[in-house]
Amino acid sequence: AAAAAESFLKEKATPDELAKIDVVCGDFFRFEGQFDFIWDCTFLCALDPSQREPWAKQMRTLLAPGGTLLSCVFPICDKQGGPPFALSVPLVKGLLEPLGFVAMSTRECVGAEKHMPG
């Protein structure tokens, strides 16, 4: 996935944009450093539910002051087991708000922009 992202960026991004983007592959829970922007696209749902609080704490550690965490909350359903493990907006807020995160907005994706499994 990291190689595909780097290839895409080399094709599509300008030199100024490339200078601002790092593609990183590694152990999330051991990663150090801080970022202005973190895009969590269906990562939390892949983790065992016992890792949810450590996920939230690591997001707090990795996000620079004033930074933005964008999280795709998926799947929103009542299913048992996983991965992907079922999530909800209130569950994710319950993990992040005690650590000082504030939801700037939430919205449900519909139609063509809806994330589908597979």
Side-chain angles (χ1 to χ4, degrees):
E6 288 173 342
S7 177
F8 175 83
L9 289 169
K10 284 179 184 173
E11 273 186 41
K12 304 292 183 180
T14 67
D16 287 341
E17 291 169 333
L18 280 174
K20 298 176 186 177
I21 299 170
D22 290 320
V23 176
V24 179
C25 182
D27 184 337
F28 170 78
F29 293 103
R30 293 185 179 175
F31 200 82
E32 297 178 356
Q34 289 200 309
F35 300 90
D36 296 323
F37 181 82
I38 299 174
W39 168 225
D40 176 1
C41 183
T42 66
F43 174 53
L44 178 59
C45 72
L47 298 174
D48 186 272
S50 67
Q51 293 300 109
R52 289 175 177 168
E53 286 187 22
W55 167 87
K57 289 177 183 174
Q58 181 67 345
M59 284 296 186
R60 169 54 41 217
T61 299
L62 292 174
L63 194 64
T68 298
L69 168 62
L70 177 61
S71 185
C72 175
V73 180
F74 171 87
I76 296 177
C77 60
D78 293 325
K79 76 181 209 77
Q80 297 296 312
F85 294 94
L87 296 173
S88 69
V89 171
L91 184 148
V92 176
K93 282 184 170 185
L95 293 167
L96 295 172
E97 288 177 347
L99 300 173
F101 286 92
V102 176
M104 302 304 291
S105 69
T106 60
R107 70 181 181 90
E108 182 177 343
C109 295
V110 295
E113 66 180 8
K114 188 172 183 176
H115 185 87
M116 303 299 287

